[in-house]
């Protein structure tokens, strides 16, 4: 049986990551040496310019002019060195980010979850069971496997795609988009880098969106801007009059001091609030420039995929004018951040205290918001789709032998999920085991039996997680897979609630009732079928009543035309009159061997037809020394 994750593919991807990480490490080492060298030159040139200036002030050897010229020349050289050194510093920071991203990608490919950062999104209550049962969120989860979606709208979109399957036509469009992005390595990686930079800054997408969508306030900004314009104009006229001699300094001096005092108090009172608003748009990290880079990155790329072409056309719709809008905002953001530029800080103080610079920049921001604010959410939502599609493409790149499933609408009588060599995508590539599985059609149930730890729960989760991936439009961990559109319902990890006074058994009954109700509701929708995955249900009661209860639950689901799989130790389920015709029994096996005088149990995790023929509970008791009571007691 051909299956994903062959040793050759695993070795090739491992070498690729090693080479990429080694290349970035080498670049960082080189830049660190350059940084240290130019740091020394920077410090030496600055001290030399100061020393030469002191010599000039002291008129050493009567060469005052020569010393001053030498000091000025060295200081100009110092400024050049600062420019070079800052460029190396920026490249060094960028290379460190690239290295960190590559290490995260390798850790994700290795399923080395401890090396990955994770910020869990909010899970709606209606999806808590599904998210927990299939490990959609949390540590070692599907969300973490996809990873690298960092913008707020990107995280929200990925969450929606995990919970809500797309329709058949949209799944095909997403698959085409993912296939094309998987071939665009430089585009995809650059997009990932820029999105990471954006989310790392203080004024990220969330702050920009909050500012753009904030309701228009009736406040004093209009009055402040008008007052700032009046004071700036008065200052300009007064300065011009004094400098040209129209007004003598004795009269113009006090006027200038009054205007400076007014400007100073306006700055002290309002600058904090204005700068806080500036920070929502862009901080010192230059977020707006990164948005512009992302937009231009998309603009330069040509896409054949209908979905990517559509997203590109939407982004560059002349009505929204995203390039002009972001470029203007970039210019305004630069003006707002003038106070943060080291060499321009003196110029900022001059402009602020003479002409109230911040107030005029605030006016430009408010005008930009009126013109473009309504488009910001659409721009960011569009970029979020690029971000999510890119991480799905990275999954395909990291697992080139994973299949894109065929998700096709079918008559309800033919609804099923058929997978060749399906595995659990969250397990390490080198230890994952693959099996052929068929779930459905309606009127049947896959009954999974076998000993403890043999792989029953893992198989059910593999079916569920891959179904989630399939309906997102992502590749699945299988050699081939075909399925009808499904709504996934699970009961695997039920917990009791002391606060609500709900026992484990009652909590599980409530969950099963919800699944049956959903199946009854979905039965009326010809577009979708319920896929149920039930793992060792109703263990909180005696075996006889459990057998009856499980039979009834499965019978309800079958009657509502749902398809699914049930794992159980109850081998009699396969012979029950109500289920005999519906059950499709499969099982896992264990084997025992004696090594070094000890009996060891092993599993191959391979699926076999029929009911299980062996059990291992008593053997496990013997292996841990609990097979017989101590005769001395």
């Amino acid at each position: 049986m051909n299956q994903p994750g062959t040793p050759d593919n695993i070795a090739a991807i491992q070498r690729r990551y090693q080479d990429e990480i080694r290349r970035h490490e080498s670049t960082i080492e080189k830049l660190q040496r350059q940084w240290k060298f130019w740091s020394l030159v920077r410090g030496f040139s600055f001290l030399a310019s100061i020393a030469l200036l002191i010599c000039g002030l002291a008129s050493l050897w009567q060469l005052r002019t020569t010393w001053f010229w030498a000091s000025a020349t060295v200081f100009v050289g110092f400024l050049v060195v600062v420019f070079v050194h800052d460029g190396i510093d920026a490249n060094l920071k960028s290379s460190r980010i690239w290295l960190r991203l590559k290490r995260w990608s390798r850790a994700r490919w290795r399923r080395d979850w401890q090396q990955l950062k994770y910020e869990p999104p909010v899970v709606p209550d209606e999806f808590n069971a599904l998210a927990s049962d299939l490990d959609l969120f949390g540590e070692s989860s599907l969300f973490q496997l996809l990873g690298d979606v960092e913008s707020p709208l990107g995280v929200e979109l990925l969450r929606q795609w995990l919970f809500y399957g797309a329709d058949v036509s949209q799944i095909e469009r997403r698959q085409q988009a993912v296939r094309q992005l998987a071939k665009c390595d430089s585009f995809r990686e650059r997009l990932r880098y820029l999105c990471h930079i954006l989310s790392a800054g203080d004024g990220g997408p969330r702050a920009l969106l909050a500012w753009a969508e904030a309701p228009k306030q009736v406040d004093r900004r209009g009055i402040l801007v008008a007052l700032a314009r009046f004071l700036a104009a008065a200052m300009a006229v007064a300065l011009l009059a004094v400098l040209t001699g129209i007004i003598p300094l004795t009269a113009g001096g006090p006027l200038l001091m009054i205007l400076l005092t007014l400007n100073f108090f306006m700055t002290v009172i309002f600058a904090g609030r204005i700068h806080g608003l500036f920070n929502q748009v862009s901080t010192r990290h230059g977020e707006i420039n990164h948005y512009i880079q992302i937009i231009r990155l998309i603009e330069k790329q040509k896409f054949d995929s209908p979905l990517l072409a559509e997203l590109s056309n939407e982004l560059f719709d002349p009505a929204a004018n995203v390039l002009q809008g972001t470029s203007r905002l970039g210019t305004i953001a630069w003006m707002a951040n003038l106070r943060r530029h080291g060499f321009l800080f003196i110029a900022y103080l001059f402009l602020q205290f003479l002409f109230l610079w911040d107030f005029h920049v605030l006016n430009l921001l408010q005008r930009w918001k009126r013109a473009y604010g309504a488009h910001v959410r659409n721009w960011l939502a569009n970029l979020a789709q690029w971000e999510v599609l890119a991480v799905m493409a990275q999954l395909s790149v990291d697992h080139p032998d994973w299949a894109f499933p065929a998700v096709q609408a079918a008559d309800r009588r033919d609804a099923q999920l058929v997978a060749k060599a399906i595995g659990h995508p969250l397990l390490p590539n080198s230890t994952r085991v693959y099996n052929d599985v068929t779930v459905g059609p309606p009127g049947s149930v896959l009954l999974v039996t076998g000993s403890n730890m043999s792989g029953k729960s893992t198989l059910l989760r593999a079916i569920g997680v891959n179904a989630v991936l399939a309906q997102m439009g992502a590749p699945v961990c299988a050699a081939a897979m075909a399925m009808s559109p499904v709504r996934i319902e699970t009961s695997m990890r039920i917990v009791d609630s002391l606060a609500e006074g709900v026992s484990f058994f009652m909590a599980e009954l409530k969950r099963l009732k919800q699944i049956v109700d959903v199946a009854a509701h979905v039965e009326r929708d010809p577009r979708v079928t319920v896929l149920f995955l039930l793992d060792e249900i109703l263990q909180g009661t005696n075996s006889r009543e459990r057998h009856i209860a499980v039979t009834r639950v499965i019978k309800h689901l079958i009657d509502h035309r749902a398809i699914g799989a049930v794992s159980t130790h109850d081998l009699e389920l396969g012979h029950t009159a109500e289920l005999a015709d519906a059950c499709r029994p499969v099982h896992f096996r264990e084997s025992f061997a004696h090594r070094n005088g000890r009996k060891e149990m092993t599993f191959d995790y391979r699926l076999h037809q029929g009911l299980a023929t062996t059990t291992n509970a008593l053997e496990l008791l013997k292996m841990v020394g609990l097979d017989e009571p101590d005769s001395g007691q």
Side-chain angles (χ1 to χ4, degrees), residues 49-310:
S49 68
I50 296 299
L52 292 170
L53 178 63
I54 293 173
C55 290
L57 293 173
S59 191
L60 191 63
W61 300 324
Q62 305 301 313
L63 298 174
R64 173 176 295 184
T65 303
T66 302
W67 291 121
F68 284 156
W69 275 108
S71 176
T73 302
V74 173
F75 186 76
V76 171
F78 163 74
L79 296 180
V80 173
V81 170
V82 168
F83 178 79
V84 173
H85 187 248
D86 287 348
I88 294 173
D89 186 66
N91 290 335
L92 183 58
K93 291 177 180 177
S94 176
S95 295
R96 285 171 174 162
I97 293 172
W98 278 110
L99 178 60
R100 182 164 65 246
L101 293 176
K102 285 297 178 183
R103 285 175 172 169
W104 283 347
S105 292
R106 183 177 66 176
R108 187 171 294 109
W109 176 76
R110 289 176 170 178
R111 310 303 191 259
D112 187 1
W113 309 109
Q114 300 302 318
Q115 302 301 316
L116 298 173
K117 63 185 183 67
Y118 177 71
E119 295 182 9
V122 176
V123 177
D125 291 341
E126 61 180 306
F127 293 111
N128 277 332
L130 182 68
S132 174
D133 290 345
L134 298 185
D135 299 305
L136 299 185
F137 297 94
E139 301 291 340
S140 313
S141 66
L142 184 58
F143 184 87
Q144 198 173 25
L145 175 65
L146 289 165
D148 291 338
V149 177
E150 303 191 59
S151 71
L153 291 183
V155 170
E156 173 62 23
L157 183 64
L158 178 56
R159 187 184 71 166
Q160 290 180 8
W161 286 12
L162 284 167
F163 288 138
Y164 301 101
D167 60 45
V168 171
S169 61
Q170 187 68 1
I171 290 173
E172 184 177 358
R173 282 158 52 85
R174 289 180 189 174
Q175 288 181 353
Q176 293 171 347
V178 169
R179 284 191 181 99
Q180 182 164 15
L181 286 175
K183 300 175 183 177
C184 303
D185 290 342
S186 59
F187 171 85
R188 192 181 63 255
E189 292 182 357
R190 182 66 179 169
L191 178 66
R192 177 192 182 193
Y193 170 85
L194 291 171
C195 289
H196 175 77
I197 295 294
L198 275 172
S199 298
D202 298 328
R206 192 185 304 276
L208 176 62
L209 184 62
W211 168 75
E213 294 188 340
K216 185 177 180 181
Q217 298 177 347
V218 180
D219 56 17
R220 295 169 292 177
R221 290 176 186 170
I223 298 175
L224 289 176
V225 170
L227 181 58
R229 286 176 175 175
F230 172 77
L231 291 174
M235 178 64 76
V237 170
L239 281 173
L240 184 63
V242 170
L243 292 175
T244 57
I246 297 176
I247 298 178
L249 185 61
T250 54
L255 176 61
L256 291 175
M257 289 302 299
I258 292 172
L259 292 173
L260 276 173
T261 301
L262 290 173
N263 290 353
F264 175 79
F265 279 110
M266 283 192 67
T267 298
V268 171
I269 294 171
F270 297 108
R273 274 173 278 182
I274 294 175
H275 292 167
L277 189 145
F278 288 171
N279 289 340
Q280 285 186 272
V281 179
S282 183
T283 66
R284 70 176 71 247
H285 301 284
E287 287 84 359
I288 300 302
N289 288 330
H290 294 304
Y291 285 118
I292 296 172
Q293 290 181 54
I294 291 174
I295 292 167
R296 295 200 179 278
L297 179 69
I298 296 172
E299 182 191 29
K300 293 177 182 177
Q301 198 81 19
K302 301 301 179 184
F303 298 101
D304 299 324
S305 155
L307 178 56
L308 296 181
E310 180 181 303

Side-chain angles (χ1 to χ4, degrees), residues 406-411 414-417 471 482-486 527 529:
V407 183
Q408 298 176 339
D411 188 284
D414 301 321
Q416 58 182 336
L417 183 153
Q471 297 193 126
M483 61 180 289
S484 308
V486 297
R527 297 168 300 176
T529 301

Side-chain angles (χ1 to χ4, degrees), residues 443-488:
S444 67
V445 59
L446 185 69
L447 190 66
V448 186
T449 59
S451 303
N452 297 292
M453 304 182 297
S454 61
K456 301 187 300 298
S457 301
T458 299
L459 177 68
L460 265 58
R461 291 191 175 93
I463 295 170
V465 174
N466 280 293
V468 170
L469 285 171
Q471 297 193 126
M472 290 176 62
V476 297
C477 182
M481 183 168 160
M483 61 180 289
S484 308
V486 297
R487 171 165 174 170
I488 307 168

